Amino acid sequence: MSARTERVASFAGEATQWRLWPTQIARLWRRSLQFRTIVITLGLTSIAILLTGVYLSTSVSNNLFEARLAQVLADSTRATDSAQLILNSSDASDTSSVRAALTEARSTITSASSSKAIAMYRAPGQASSSAAPPDFSTSPELKADGNAISDELRSKVQQTPSAQYWQSVSLSDSFGRSQPGIVVGSQLVLPAAGRYEVYIGYSLADVQQTLSFVQQTAAIAALALLLLVGAVTWVVVRFVVTPIRVAAETSQKLAAGDLEVRIPEKGDDVIATLARSFNGMADSLQSQIRELADLSEVQQRFVSDVSHELRTPLTTIRLAGDVLYDQRDSFTPSVERTAELLHTQVERFEVLLADLLEISRYDAGSVELSSEPTNLVHLTSDAVESMRSLAEGNGCALLLETPGGHLDSEVDPRRIRRILRNLVGNAIEHGEHKPIVVSVDSNSSVVAIGVRDYGIGMSAEAAAHVFDRFWRADPSRQRTIGGTGLGLAIALEDAKAHGGDIRMWSQEGAGTNFLLMLPRIPEAPMGRSPLPVVPDDAGATEPAPVVREVTDA
């Protein structure tokens, strides 16, 4: 890489870093309490210093100007009075003597006023005189066509000969630089020549220098004060924020499961009180969590042990019940009915026991999947076909759509089949004898299976508890196909064991839609589902006619 290319790359990198600064500052503002406090303190301090500085600068400027103005007016009065005394004592009558008297008066004004910017103009409205000397000006700004003497100032001087007037102007120094100044106008009476307007220009450069010095000093002091305030704020906030940061980090560790972490307790101030209260809360929380964990462990062990212990007597009861059930035709009608009830309830007890054992395995975290490449379309078709007789007995037609999902996926077919049987069985139970649509579709990351019924549906409150164990939406509703109340809870655990999920939509009077989502690749993150949770025909009471019915597996 050439040196030019390296310089271009370095410049591009620096430009990129500059562009990232606003984002980094915004992130620091959101995350750092100390940074926000310092910035806010410096901002408010800067506003206060700025307002104070403006007020002081204005006050000093006005005071300096008023003092200098008073000095200028006194100086001008003294100079013009001295010049008028000289002219009054002169007996000049011809042109040369009048000019000599004017020259002496000008010298007096220059020496008395310490200003070399002087201009004299013969006042208009007087009779012409051959002895009257010509107008003159020692400064370009004070010429009649210059910018320093305004028409308003000349008009006032001409109208009131006995008074003096002034105005603020801009004058040039010896280097041609513009400086603030004041022009004072009054009148003099020359013998044999009449009245003359006299204008004296005074530079305020010294006042401007004094004001600039005061402003620079104030600016340096303000900057030093800002730095001092920032440093003090940083130190104070650090003392306050550090314990808060420790408390936040401790609470995060506690929320993450580290129940042994505590905040160090130092001193007797409010931070120490907070630490003691937090540690007391952590101790209480740890004790309660341990009690709940022990209780949960005892409960899980109890369910597991009882389930295992019940298998042997249940097997004996099942064998005895089967013998009685097989010979029920030889019994009296009442005994025959008793044998049939015994057979049915023993079967239900076996299913409940199997579900309890499965739940206990999930609670103990001892579930292992037997995954194998499986075509989910074929598996779904088999599951649907196995439920067909049950659906027909309840007056429900099972319909299947398979736009996708034809490629094999790594799943445990036994558990997926159990999920589908639970979802389809639940749809048959609440389908109100209406068709049930089972859909299979897939994309690059997700295989989705939807089970849609058009039955009674559920309210939002009921839908929130649908995966709870032993929960029933309507306790007064009699089960028509049995069930233990654990089917959907086990189905959700089976889906999560595959890295998937089950989501549900339901609407009263418009049915329910369960959506099983499974990752195409095991342990890979899932993207968006190819099937919607809220079906396209939400609110409909019958499926669309394009859905075809499954006729064989």
Side-chain angles (χ1 to χ4, degrees):
M1 181 182 294
S2 64
R4 176 181 175 85
T5 305
E6 291 180 355
R7 288 195 299 269
V8 171
S10 176
F11 177 78
E14 293 178 357
T16 302
Q17 292 180 355
W18 275 94
R19 287 196 295 269
L20 293 177
W21 275 23
T23 303
Q24 294 173 351
I25 293 175
R27 186 184 300 113
L28 185 61
W29 174 271
R30 292 193 304 269
R31 295 182 177 181
S32 176
L33 176 62
Q34 186 172 1
F35 177 75
R36 288 202 305 272
T37 305
I38 293 175
V39 170
I40 292 173
T41 302
L42 290 179
L44 295 177
T45 304
S46 299
I47 294 174
I49 291 177
L50 178 62
L51 295 177
T52 304
V54 170
Y55 172 75
L56 291 177
S57 178
T58 303
S59 298
V60 171
S61 176
N62 291 337
N63 291 336
L64 289 175
F65 180 80
E66 293 295 336
R68 180 57 173 159
L69 177 61
Q71 180 183 1
V72 164
L73 293 178
D75 188 85
S76 175
T77 300
R78 182 173 58 254
T80 54
D81 288 347
S82 300
Q84 188 63 57
L85 288 176
I86 292 176
L87 293 176
N88 291 338
S89 62
S90 174
D91 55 356
S93 58
D94 55 8
T95 302
S96 59
S97 59
V98 171
R99 288 184 178 181
L102 181 61
T103 301
E104 185 179 1
R106 173 181 168 184
S107 300
T108 302
I109 293 174
T110 302
S111 60
S113 65
S114 66
S115 174
K116 296 181 180 180
I118 302 173
M120 295 185 67
Y121 304 101
R122 193 168 189 271
Q126 302 180 87
S128 60
S129 173
S130 59
D135 299 340
F136 73 90
S137 173
T138 62
S139 174
E141 288 88 352
L142 297 184
K143 289 184 178 180
D145 56 352
N147 298 324
I149 303 176
S150 65
D151 294 338
E152 181 182 1
L153 178 62
R154 293 200 64 179
S155 175
K156 291 181 179 180
V157 171
Q158 293 167 6
Q159 291 174 3
T160 311
S162 60
Q164 62 178 1
Y165 297 92
W166 64 274
Q167 70 176 17
S168 296
V169 296
S170 177
L171 301 176
S172 299
D173 59 10
S174 58
F175 299 99
R177 295 174 300 188
S178 179
Q179 299 287 350
I182 296 176
V183 172
V184 180
S186 58
Q187 284 193 20
L188 289 177
V189 179
L190 272 69
R195 293 179 289 108
Y196 273 75
E197 302 170 26
V198 180
Y199 298 97
I200 306 175
Y202 294 89
S203 174
L204 299 183
D206 54 343
V207 176
Q208 183 64 39
Q209 291 177 356
T210 303
L211 181 60
S212 299
F213 175 76
V214 172
Q215 291 175 340
Q216 292 175 1
T217 304
I220 295 174
L223 180 60
L225 181 59
L226 277 177
L227 295 176
L228 180 61
V229 170
V232 171
T233 305
W234 183 83
V235 173
V236 173
V237 173
R238 182 176 178 83
F239 278 114
V240 176
V241 170
T242 299
I244 297 177
R245 184 183 297 115
V246 172
E249 294 173 353
T250 304
S251 63
Q252 288 179 345
K253 293 178 181 178
L254 188 65
D258 187 2
L259 302 179
E260 302 295 334
V261 67
R262 296 292 184 272
I263 299 178
E265 300 179 15
K266 299 178 181 179
D268 296 320
D269 55 11
V270 65
I271 300 298
T273 302
L274 173 63
R276 285 191 292 270
S277 301
F278 183 90
N279 292 339
M281 179 189 67
D283 292 337
S284 176
L285 183 62
Q286 182 181 22
S287 176
Q288 293 180 12
I289 290 177
R290 285 178 177 175
E291 291 179 3
L292 292 175
D294 293 341
L295 180 61
S296 177
E297 184 179 355
V298 170
Q299 180 184 4
Q300 294 171 12
R301 188 183 300 113
F302 173 78
V303 172
S304 179
D305 293 346
V306 169
S307 300
H308 280 90
E309 292 299 327
L310 286 177
R311 293 184 69 87
T312 300
L314 180 61
T315 302
T316 304
I317 296 173
R318 175 63 183 272
L319 291 175
D322 288 344
V323 172
L324 294 175
Y325 184 76
D326 292 340
Q327 299 180 3
R328 66 186 183 281
D329 294 337
S330 61
F331 298 151
T332 61
S334 60
V335 177
E336 179 183 1
R337 178 58 179 165
T338 301
E340 292 175 351
L341 290 175
L342 177 63
H343 180 76
T344 302
Q345 295 304 316
V346 168
E347 285 185 342
R348 184 179 179 187
F349 191 24
E350 274 192 321
V351 174
L352 176 60
L353 186 61
D355 287 349
L356 287 174
L357 284 172
E358 190 67 17
I359 285 291
S360 67
R361 293 190 188 99
Y362 276 113
D363 290 339
S366 59
V367 173
E368 294 183 0
L369 299 179
S370 299
S371 299
E372 59 184 60
T374 305
N375 188 304
L376 290 177
V377 171
H378 293 167
L379 188 147
T380 304
S381 179
D382 292 341
V384 169
E385 191 63 30
S386 67
M387 303 291 289
R388 179 168 299 283
S389 59
L390 180 62
E392 291 176 350
N394 283 269
C396 299
L398 287 180
L399 310 173
L400 180 65
E401 283 186 330
T402 58
H406 297 274
L407 297 179
D408 290 348
S409 300
E410 288 288 334
V411 297
D412 186 338
R414 180 182 68 86
R415 296 182 184 278
I416 300 302
R417 187 177 291 107
R418 180 168 63 188
I419 294 174
L420 294 176
R421 289 177 63 86
N422 274 314
L423 296 181
V424 174
N426 188 74
I428 294 173
E429 175 76 24
H430 301 89
E432 295 295 304
H433 315 299
K434 295 181 180 180
I436 298 170
V437 180
V438 180
S439 306
V440 184
D441 202 355
S442 63
N443 55 29
S444 59
S445 61
V446 181
V447 179
I449 303 174
V451 179
R452 168 82 160 101
D453 69 70
Y454 296 84
I456 58 175
M458 287 180 286
S459 64
E461 181 180 359
H465 300 281
V466 73
F467 292 104
D468 293 351
R469 300 176 184 181
F470 300 108
W471 184 84
R472 296 178 65 184
D474 185 2
S476 63
R477 182 182 177 89
Q478 184 178 1
R479 294 181 183 271
T480 60
I481 60 174
T484 63
L486 294 172
L488 290 179
I490 294 175
L492 182 60
E493 294 291 347
D494 285 338
K496 290 184 176 179
H498 285 82
D501 195 9
I502 299 178
R503 298 178 184 175
M504 189 206 71
W505 166 89
S506 187
Q507 181 179 335
E508 291 182 299
T512 303
N513 183 47
F514 284 93
L515 183 64
L516 168 64
M517 297 185 298
L518 300 171
R520 291 287 299 270
I521 302 175
E523 300 182 359
M526 292 193 303
R528 187 173 181 178
S529 171
L531 294 176
V533 178
V534 180
D536 296 333
D537 61 348
T541 57
E542 294 288 342
V546 296
V547 180
R548 61 182 178 85
E549 183 174 355
V550 177
T551 56
D552 56 54

